[in-house]
Amino acid sequence: MSVKNENKPQINMRIPGMRGPRNYGTIEKPKEGRKTISRLLKYFSREMSLIISLIFVVIVVVLCSVLAPSLQSRAVDTIADGKYDEIGLILVMMLILYGIYSLSTLFQNLISAVLSQRIVKKMREDLFEKIVNLPIKYIDNHPHGDIMSRMTNDVENISNTVSQSLGSLVSGILTIAGTVLMMFYFCRQLALLSCTTVILTVFVTKNLSGIMRKFFTERQVLLGELNGIVEEKVTGYKTVVAYNRQEAVINEFEKSSDELTKTGIIAEIFGGSMGPVMNVINNIGFVIIAAFGGYFAINGIISIGVVSAFIVYAKQFGRPINEIAQVYGQIQTAIAGAERIFAIMDEEGENKEGSNNMEGAKGIITFKNVNFSYKEGKQVLFDFSLDVHAGHKVALVGATGSGKTTVVNLLMRFYDVDSGEILIDGVNVKDIAIDELRKNTAIVLQDTVLFSDTIRNNLKYSNPGANDDEIIEAARLSNCYNMIKHFPKKFDTMLTEAGQNLSQGQRQLLSIARAFLANPKILILDEATSSVDTRTEKHIQDAMVNLMKERTSLIIAHRLSTIQDADLIVVLDNGRIVETGNHNQLIEKQGKYYELYITQFQGNAI
């Protein structure tokens, strides 16, 4: 099953005269907006002190921005009337008011930033905690890029919306309301005339934004394609050079680059036109105010100071309308992102409950009539039954897709059986706490997983409480101590890019040392020597022999030469056990195992 990544390109662009970046990318609409907003408000409710502070500061900002033009009007009228002794006080009041406005705006931005980071911090923590406790089934059935995108892009969208748009939205609404009231207070007729530009502003914003969104979205798609070409060709550079495809690759890149350039130019033209167009509309408003305001002033309806105040109010009135139109799209996109985040949070977590622990466990494993399907209608295991004695080494062999890895997935409870039972020392694994089960089971995979940390911490990943003596002993038993000794910082050597500074064989030896340190009752080995040279294979085989001593071991075998000494070899074919026995017994039978053996060692296609 695959899930499409619903994250669409987000384009942030700044328009002259607007505060902060505004979103002209694809506006994503949530499916259940009210429900999502209600859940988001729960995160906001934990920061009520910050929210109250933000609202208070926004009110102060709006009051200052609304009252300042009235003081300007009063100053102009005072000068016009020749009352110069009063102008000083008015100018001081204006200076104080603009000072308060500037400080309040600064505090608004600071509080918004703190509020957004606190909210997304809690949301990010909740989401990550949920992800690491999801069943393996969910992770296997969903694209990893989609899950990571929800953790990064969607959470970041919410952060940007809270820090940049929330304050702007509240401030814009209050500014519009306060400005309209003051305009009608000074002159109702001029206020009505000023509002005619609002219709033009809304019309232009809606239509021009739609055109811009189309081209900016197309530009992002083309940019993604260009980045994909570069990544693919750089990753496969040796192949490009080996087949002399440099010229073809250059032509492919230039074709994609040309398309991006053409679309980018058109997008920037429309993007750059928003500011000038809005300035034209604002200037039309100024002309209306100047013309009619002058007429009203001549006829004594209003004073010259009121005309000057109206020019400021008209500018103040148009800006929030444009901002709110853009903020709406960003808020919709953020809510859609929150909806995807909550979709993961609503997934059922892994059931880790169990009344039994594995203290004193011997490691006897029993599979009883196990049936399993990853997807309904496509059964993988059929009536699988197997007894694994304590301390025995059991190998699972078979062609790709025969069900070997599925057996391990079920034993570890990465998945639960459809029917049948899996028992450890007679106890159903469903009745064993998952933490206990996995603490007493160690896995050495073919694809080694190490982390970008020190060698010491990578080894201690299986046993955080291990001391230095235990770590050194595990390294000796796994044949990697001499290797570690030659590193500059020995056990404190940092592994870069999850161990990419080591060879495949070195990484495998470290993973075996990590399994040693876990001191498990049950050991699972996915053939680890298929991609290493013969000498390294011998070191790894010796380490694995040491690791399997006195432990119940299940081995997924690809190279049959590595499991000839197994106590029991189980041959799987299409989800069914077709043969069991040791190596000599199965060779004598000349059945499925014999065919696999001959194919590998004599090269005869049977």
Side-chain angles (χ1 to χ4, degrees), residues 24 204-214 274 326:
Y24 282 93
V204 170
T205 300
K206 181 179 179 181
N207 288 279
L208 196 55
S209 295
I211 298 171
M212 290 165 62
R213 188 155 42 248
K214 173 187 173 183
M274 177 66 86
Q326 306 311 324

Side-chain angles (χ1 to χ4, degrees), residues 28-38 40 154 157-158 161 328-342:
E28 299 178 73
K29 295 185 178 180
K31 297 176 183 178
E32 298 181 342
R34 291 183 180 179
K35 181 180 177 181
T36 303
I37 291 172
S38 176
L40 273 174
D154 291 332
N157 278 338
I158 294 171
T161 300
Y328 173 78
Q330 191 168 354
I331 289 174
Q332 289 292 304
T333 300
I335 294 173
E339 195 168 66
R340 287 192 294 272
I341 291 171
F342 292 140

Side-chain angles (χ1 to χ4, degrees), residues 6-183:
E6 298 176 354
N7 291 295
K8 306 217 177 137
Q10 301 304 311
I11 302 95
N12 286 329
M13 186 179 63
R14 181 169 173 77
I15 296 175
M18 292 183 63
R19 295 179 296 177
R22 288 293 173 252
N23 190 335
Y24 282 93
T26 303
I27 297 177
E28 299 178 73
K29 295 185 178 180
K31 297 176 183 178
E32 298 181 342
R34 291 183 180 179
K35 181 180 177 181
T36 303
I37 291 172
S38 176
R39 294 185 67 173
L40 273 174
L41 289 176
K42 293 180 181 178
Y43 284 92
F44 280 86
S45 64
R46 299 168 182 169
E47 305 292 342
M48 284 306 298
S49 58
L50 278 177
I51 292 173
I52 293 171
S53 300
L54 179 61
I55 293 172
F56 174 77
V57 171
V58 167
I59 291 173
V60 173
V61 169
V62 172
L63 285 175
C64 290
S65 64
V66 169
L67 292 176
S70 67
L71 285 176
Q72 176 182 313
S73 170
R74 185 176 167 186
V76 172
D77 288 339
T78 300
I79 294 172
D81 294 340
K83 300 176 182 178
Y84 299 110
D85 56 332
E86 297 180 12
I87 191 65
L89 178 60
I90 297 174
L91 292 177
V92 170
M93 291 174 63
M94 288 181 66
L95 184 63
I96 294 172
L97 199 62
Y98 280 120
I100 295 172
Y101 174 84
S102 299
L103 286 174
S104 299
T105 303
L106 174 62
F107 282 124
Q108 177 184 327
N109 293 334
L110 290 174
I111 293 172
S112 296
V114 173
L115 179 64
S116 69
Q117 291 306 310
R118 285 191 181 181
I119 288 172
V120 298
K121 174 180 178 291
K122 179 59 179 172
M123 185 175 291
R124 192 182 291 117
E125 288 173 349
D126 290 348
L127 178 59
F128 188 74
E129 182 180 351
K130 183 68 178 185
I131 289 173
V132 297
N133 285 290
L134 284 171
I136 295 292
K137 180 180 180 180
Y138 181 90
I139 303 299
D140 284 349
N141 291 337
H142 290 77
H144 295 177
D146 177 63
I147 297 173
M148 292 171 66
S149 179
R150 300 187 195 207
M151 171 62 75
T152 54
N153 293 345
D154 291 332
V155 171
E156 191 62 27
N157 278 338
I158 294 171
S159 174
N160 290 336
T161 300
V162 175
S163 63
Q164 298 174 8
S165 303
L166 186 61
S168 297
L169 180 63
V170 177
S171 176
I173 293 171
L174 293 178
T175 299
I176 291 172
T179 301
V180 169
L181 287 174
M182 292 300 292
M183 291 170 73

Side-chain angles (χ1 to χ4, degrees), residues 181-340:
L181 287 174
M182 292 300 292
M183 291 170 73
F184 274 92
Y185 170 76
F186 280 114
C187 180
R188 182 177 58 189
Q189 299 94 323
L190 197 56
L192 290 172
L193 288 168
S194 299
C195 289
T196 57
T197 59
V198 173
I199 299 173
L200 188 58
T201 300
V202 172
F203 176 79
V204 170
T205 300
K206 181 179 179 181
N207 288 279
L208 196 55
S209 295
I211 298 171
M212 290 165 62
R213 188 155 42 248
K214 173 187 173 183
F215 284 103
F216 272 90
T217 301
E218 186 178 346
R219 187 179 75 169
Q220 288 299 98
V221 171
L222 291 172
L223 180 61
E225 291 177 359
L226 188 67
N227 289 338
I229 291 172
V230 174
E231 181 182 1
E232 184 178 58
K233 304 313 177 190
V234 170
T235 303
Y237 181 67
K238 289 183 179 179
T239 303
V240 172
V241 173
Y243 289 96
N244 291 319
R245 298 290 295 174
Q246 294 95 323
E247 193 66 33
V249 166
I250 291 171
N251 291 335
E252 181 184 0
F253 176 84
E254 288 181 348
K255 181 181 178 181
S256 180
S257 181
D258 288 344
E259 291 180 8
L260 175 61
T261 301
K262 292 175 185 177
T263 304
I265 290 172
I266 297 172
E268 290 298 337
I269 288 173
F270 280 106
S273 67
M274 177 66 86
V277 169
M278 295 309 299
N279 285 335
V280 169
I281 295 174
N282 289 336
N283 290 333
I284 292 172
F286 296 155
V287 171
I288 292 173
I289 292 170
F292 286 94
Y295 174 78
F296 292 153
I298 292 172
N299 287 277
I301 299 174
I302 57 175
S303 66
I304 296 175
V306 171
V307 177
S308 69
F310 256 86
I311 292 175
V312 178
Y313 281 132
K315 183 178 180 181
Q316 254 180 212
F317 186 64
R319 176 182 54 75
I321 292 174
N322 193 33
E323 281 196 349
I324 289 172
Q326 306 311 324
V327 165
Y328 173 78
Q330 191 168 354
I331 289 174
Q332 289 292 304
T333 300
I335 294 173
E339 195 168 66
R340 287 192 294 272

